[in-house]
Amino acid sequence: MLSVENVRKSFGGLPVLKGISLEVRQGEVLAVIGPSGSGKSTLLRCITQLERVDSGKITICGETLVSNNEQEKAVYADKQTRVKIGLHLGLVFQNFNLFPHFSVLRNVTEAPVRVLKKNKAEAERTARALLEKMGLADKADAYPCQLSGGQQQRVSIARALAMNPDILFFDEPTSALDPELTGEILKVIRELAAEHMTMVVVTHEMKFARDVADQVIFMDGGNIVEQGTASDVFGSTKEERTKAFLSRFN
Ligand code: ADP
Ligand code: MG
């Protein structure tokens, strides 16, 4: 479903991704862990088209977003294909990024109506069903500022799901939340995993990663240092850098 091959990205001459390769199969959950500044967000932003890579290849749902030419430069798909690929992806940010001036319901219906050209009534039916699933049936008419951080994040998950994505990406979905609110978000992601939603989750919640992820990647300094099943990476850690990182969470 997702294949990343030897992706490199620098900012102003500073290499941030130094040749990243990974694969995610349909229905799989990949957890990406690693210290701050290791390139996790940049990797998600490159896959989800918020940043452009310098070289490498990214294939999503059978469509090649970017490939190399002979000079090892990135060649992007045409605009139409990029738009098509965008429709396969959902992204949930650390800081929710809701539209503050729209109601909860409109936050969820906006993209299906504007981008997918769904009719408003149908979009609202779907949105209400998703809000109910997120435990927010009674918040449809509220505004983001009237909600807790955990509720806002659940709205942003509903908003991503409303586009019916094939892969959902989460960039530290709980790090802006008070500790007592992280559980409600992790529970939603666990439920999506149980429904076999394909997901890539950048997280500092190690217990969650260990329980939910099929595959775990540990990044440090723009490289993948260790990669394997959750029990490989957490249970029989090989690399010293991974051991040192994980020891901070014990
Ligand atoms: P992580 O998500 O693992 O904390 P990031 O991908 O956010 O790491 O950042 C990796 C490195 O890239 C950091 O050194 C960061 O300062 C740098 N970086 C990220 N985005 C930009 C940008 N837009 N311009 C310049 N440097 C950036
Ligand atoms: Mg980050």
Side-chain angles (χ1 to χ4, degrees), residues 53-167:
V53 305
D54 301 329
S55 66
K57 185 173 178 188
I58 300 176
T59 305
I60 299 162
C61 299
E63 304 272 359
T64 298
L65 168 66
V66 54
S67 60
N68 277 336
N69 72 6
E70 295 98 85
Q71 286 84 41
E72 286 279 301
K73 286 279 180 234
V75 180
Y76 273 79
D78 57 86
K79 177 137 191 269
Q80 211 179 343
T81 308
R82 295 200 308 270
V83 169
K84 203 158 116 193
I85 289 171
L87 295 174
H88 289 290
L89 314 177
L91 180 55
V92 175
F93 300 91
Q94 184 175 344
N95 292 313
F96 332 130
N97 289 15
L98 295 173
F99 302 113
H101 54 299
F102 286 172
S103 69
V104 163
L105 187 69
R106 180 133 182 234
N107 264 281
V108 182
T109 58
E110 186 68 5
V113 169
R114 293 249 181 265
V115 181
L116 301 181
K117 310 290 178 207
K118 275 199 182 180
N119 82 53
K120 198 165 161 241
E122 189 196 336
E124 288 188 355
R125 257 197 312 279
T126 308
R128 286 185 193 281
L130 286 168
L131 289 172
E132 179 161 4
K133 185 174 172 181
M134 295 295 138
L136 296 169
D138 57 335
K139 300 292 182 197
D141 300 320
Y143 282 81
C145 63
Q146 299 171 307
L147 305 181
S148 73
Q151 289 169 333
Q152 290 185 54
Q153 191 59 303
R154 281 182 281 147
V155 174
S156 79
I157 296 172
R159 180 176 62 175
L161 290 171
M163 294 296 281
N164 202 18
D166 294 305
I167 313 186

Side-chain angles (χ1 to χ4, degrees), residues 227-239:
Q227 185 165 16
T229 64
S231 57
D232 289 339
V233 174
F234 292 109
S236 41
T237 317
K238 289 191 190 68
E239 303 293 329

Side-chain angles (χ1 to χ4, degrees), residues 34-42 44-45 94 171-172 175 202 204:
S36 178
S38 57
K40 306 179 300 296
S41 294
T42 304
L44 281 204
R45 293 174 60 83
Q94 184 175 344
D171 192 358
E172 299 196 31
S175 25
V202 175
H204 287 299

Side-chain angles (χ1 to χ4, degrees), residues 163-214:
M163 294 296 281
N164 202 18
D166 294 305
I167 313 186
L168 209 42
F169 294 85
F170 292 86
D171 192 358
E172 299 196 31
T174 63
S175 25
L177 300 176
D178 293 333
E180 70 270 22
L181 299 179
T182 63
E184 63 189 65
I185 299 306
L186 298 180
K187 180 164 165 272
V188 168
I189 302 174
R190 279 174 200 271
E191 285 165 3
L192 293 170
E195 294 167 14
H196 307 292
M197 180 62 141
T198 310
M199 293 185 281
V200 177
V201 187
V202 175
T203 185
H204 287 299
E205 299 288 334
M206 296 303 145
K207 184 178 181 307
F208 166 80
R210 189 172 189 149
D211 290 351
V212 177
D214 300 292

